[in-house]
Every structure is written in structure tokens, then in C-alpha cells.
């Protein structure tokens, strides 16, 4: 086992709301499936994030292996549920961050790191000590505790949390976390306090403005579950409309390769239709939510990732720099 990321917080793990209490430092694994090792599946420039994050150079995404949720529809199931990824040292993690910066990344975008916050704090501190100056974005499902988020203060500049549902029965059935709604709302509220919204339009690389600080709340609309989406949008309008941005996504896609997807009964496992898309747009107008982004309805599956491939995503969406099987893809990205 690579020992670089062993830390006291893992001896009786409370890194997320699961509070598994196991000793990850000696190789025990909790719900997330991970020990104290920090494992990464893919790193590179990604051009499919929201405009304030993507900019012109792309977001420097780092996909962390493991997850503290078990979403039945997860498009990244290979790394979140099947353990695909390779353990890295602090030196390698730091090198990935600095190489992304040198390649022109607009930011470092940590994806699904909720279960590995203690390790990522170590890695990000070291990266900043060695010269990382671009912003750091935290991209998660928001199933997190406030103390762990506060540990990231000073290390993370912007937040991209999901708000999947406010229905506890839905949360239980599709991600095994009935307390998700309460936990996520509390976490997102804490993020908005840690990083007040600050957008500047002085940078030509960002046609919709550059997010220097703040929160973009993402919600993926599920087919046949418009009432769930309405509840989320109402919560946002009431709590965060002038404190954060909203990103409403309509890209739900059945992931046939994910064995868990075959067990979905909580909603209709299909693409959203035009009627649902129109309904969501109308509801946004009714709530006067205009500070954010709406994903246009696209009915194809070509964008689904495959982490077995170095070119994990569509070549138009990404440029790989590091892969869990191959290591460094090239000396200079």
C-alpha cells in the first residue's frame, strides 16, 4: 500500500456522512470501497463543464476512484463502483496538478472526492506549495459533512455540487442514502458561505464570465420524476437564487453497461422527452430563475465515458494527460 496519504482521520473513518468507523490506514474499506490510498482513474483537460469553469483552456479534471453514494444510474460506475483506478503518491498527485496547469487548464477540478477529503487536503496543500496557482473546483454529489468541507477552506475556490433529489425515499432507492436530501442541502449551504459568489466578465476566455468564487448547483432531471425536479428548483429559488448559480441538466442517459441500471424501478430508465424538457423550462420561468445554465436536450449516447480507454471521453470534449492504466500520456500535454 502507498502510505503517503495515511492520516489520523482515517483511523476511525468519519470522512463522510456514512461514518463507517473503519481503519482505512491499515487497508480496511468502508462503503466507498477505498483504503487510505488515493486512487485516480483519469486526468486531463475537459471542455464539457459550465462556461465559467471550462473557459477556453478547459477544466483540469481529476477523477477520483470510489464514491460514498451508490447511484444506480452512474455514468462513471467503472470508477465509482467497480474500483477502476490506480494508487498515486503525493508526488504524482502534485505532478498531475502542475502538469494540468502547464497545459493551460483554467482550474483543477476534483471529481468525486467526498470520501477522500483528508487525502486530497494533503495533496492540494503540497501542490500549492510547489506552485499551483490556478483555482481549485470541488465537483461532488454534496453528500458531505460541514466539518470536512471546512477542512477544504483555503484549498478550494469554487464548488460544483449536485442536488440530486429532496425525496428521501428516492434517495434510499437509487443511491442507498435516505439522509441525502438533508445532508446535501446543509453541505451546499455551507459551500455558499465558504465561497461567496464572485463572477467577473473581464476575462475574454470566459464568454459568460469567470467564476473566481462561488457555487454552481447542478441538478440532473430524471425521466418521469418532474415533481422531484420541481422541489429542487423551488428549494434553490428560495435559498440560493442570488447566492449561487443553477445548472439544470437534461442529459440523463440509460447506461446499459452498468449492472445497477438494470435494477432501476424508482423512475423510468429512458431519455427525457421534449414535453418534459419544455415543462422544466416553463417552471424555471415561473420561479424567475435566470442566474445559471440550462442544458439543451440532446438525445444521443455517444458522450458516455469508458475509463478503460485512454481517450475516455469524446475527443471533442477532452484531452487526456494521465490514465490509470498508462500513467502519463505524454511529457507535455
Amino acid at each position: 500500500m502507498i502510505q503517503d496519504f495515511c492520516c489520523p482521520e482515517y483511523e476511525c473513518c468519519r470522512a463522510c456522512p456514512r461514518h463507517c468507523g473503519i481503519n482505512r490506514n491499515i487497508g480496511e474499506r468502508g462503503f466507498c470501497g477505498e483504503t487510505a490510498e488515493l486512487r485516480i482513474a483519469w486526468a486531463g483537460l475537459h471542455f464539457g463543464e459550465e462556461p465559467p469553469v471550462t473557459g477556453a483552456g478547459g477544466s483540469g479534471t481529476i477523477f477520483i476512484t470510489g464514491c460514498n453514494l451508490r447511484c444506480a444510474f452512474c455514468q462513471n460506475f467503472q470508477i465509482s463502483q467497480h474500483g477502476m483506478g490506480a494508487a498515486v503518491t503525493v508526488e504524482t498527485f502534485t505532478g498531475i496538478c502542475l502538469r494540468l496547469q502547464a497545459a493551460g487548464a483554467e482550474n483543477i477540478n476534483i471529481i468525486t472526492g467526498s470520501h477522500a477529503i483528508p487525502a486530497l487536503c494533503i495533496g492540494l496543500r503540497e501542490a500549492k506549495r510547489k506552485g499551483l496557482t490556478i483555482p481549485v473546483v470541488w465537483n461532488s454529489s454534496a453528500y458531505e459533512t460541514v466539518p470536512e468541507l471546512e477542512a477544504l477552506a483555503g484549498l478550494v475556490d469554487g464548488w460544483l455540487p449536485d442536488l440530486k433529489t429532496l425525496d428521501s425515499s428516492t434517495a434510499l432507492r437509487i443511491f442507498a442514502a435516505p439522509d441525502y436530501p438533508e445532508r446535501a442541502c446543509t453541505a451546499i449551504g455551507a459551500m455558499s458561505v465558504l465561497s461567496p459568489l464572485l463572477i467577473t466578465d473581464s476575462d475574454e476566455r470566459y464568454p459568460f464570465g469567470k467564476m473566481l468564487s462561488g457555487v454552481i448547483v447542478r441538478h440532473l432531471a430524471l425521466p418521469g420524476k418532474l415533481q422531484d425536479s420541481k422541489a429542487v428548483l423551488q428549494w434553490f429559488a428560495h435559498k440560493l437564487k442570488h447566492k449561487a448559480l443553477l445548472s439544470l441538466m437534461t442529459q440523463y442517459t440509460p447506461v446499459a453497461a452498468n449492472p445497477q441500471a438494470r435494477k432501476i424501478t424508482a423512475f423510468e430508465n429512458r431519455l427525457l422527452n421534449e414535453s418534459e424538457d419544455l415543462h422544466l423550462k416553463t417552471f424555471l420561468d415561473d420561479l424567475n430563475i435566470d442566474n445559471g445554465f440550462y442544458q439543451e436536450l440532446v438525445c444521443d449516447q455517444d458522450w458516455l465515458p469508458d475509463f478503460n480507454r485512454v481517450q475516455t471521453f469524446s475527443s471533442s470534449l477532452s484531452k487526456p494527460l494521465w490514465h490509470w492504466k498508462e500513467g502519463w500520456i505524454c511529457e507535455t500535454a
Side-chain angles (χ1 to χ4, degrees), residues 97-207:
C97 291
L98 295 178
R99 194 78 68 84
L100 285 167
Q101 178 173 265
E106 307 284 359
N107 45 65
I108 298 298
N109 188 344
I110 305 294
I111 299 178
T112 38
S114 305
H115 58 289
I117 289 176
L120 288 164
C121 285
I122 294 171
L124 288 171
R125 285 194 197 98
E126 182 65 7
K128 287 177 179 287
R129 188 183 74 82
K130 290 190 173 180
L132 182 68
T133 58
I134 57 176
V136 174
V137 176
W138 188 257
N139 189 331
S140 76
S141 295
Y143 192 52
E144 292 150 336
T145 68
V146 173
E148 290 300 322
L149 295 176
E150 289 175 341
L152 292 165
L155 298 173
V156 169
D157 302 279
W159 311 80
L160 296 178
D162 292 339
L163 185 50
K164 297 176 182 292
T165 183
L166 295 182
D167 186 286
S168 59
S169 62
T170 297
L172 172 62
R173 294 174 68 185
I174 58 180
F175 16 96
D179 61 339
Y180 174 84
E182 178 184 358
R183 294 287 191 176
C185 288
T186 300
I188 292 170
M191 292 172 188
S192 71
V193 173
L194 289 170
S195 300
L197 186 62
L198 177 59
I199 301 286
T200 176
D201 59 3
S202 61
D203 193 329
E204 294 180 356
R205 295 173 301 169
Y206 293 84

Side-chain angles (χ1 to χ4, degrees), residues 83-95:
M84 200 173 278
V88 298
T89 63
V90 173
E91 180 182 11
T92 299
F93 176 83
T94 298

Side-chain angles (χ1 to χ4, degrees), residues 8 41 50 63 70 95 149 168 178 202 204 206 228 293 296 322:
E50 288 81 0
F63 284 80
R70 203 160 284 164
L149 295 176
S168 59
S202 61
E204 294 180 356
Y206 293 84
D228 277 22
F293 305 94
E296 292 301 320
W322 188 95

Side-chain angles (χ1 to χ4, degrees), residues 70-90:
R70 203 160 284 164
C71 300
F73 53 84
C74 182
Q75 68 190 46
N76 298 334
F77 70 96
Q78 293 165 309
I79 63 173
S80 64
Q81 298 168 16
H82 291 181
M84 200 173 278
V88 298
T89 63
V90 173

Side-chain angles (χ1 to χ4, degrees), residues 272-283:
L272 262 72
N273 58 43
E274 292 183 2
S275 174
E276 290 168 320
D277 181 61
L278 178 60
H279 199 97
L280 288 168
K281 289 178 178 176
T282 301
F283 197 62

Side-chain angles (χ1 to χ4, degrees), residues 237-253:
H238 179 63
K239 297 287 187 180
L240 288 177
K241 185 159 63 170
H242 301 297
K243 299 178 182 177
L245 302 180
L246 177 73
S247 180
L248 182 55
M249 301 182 293
T250 59
Q251 67 180 19
Y252 179 83
T253 305

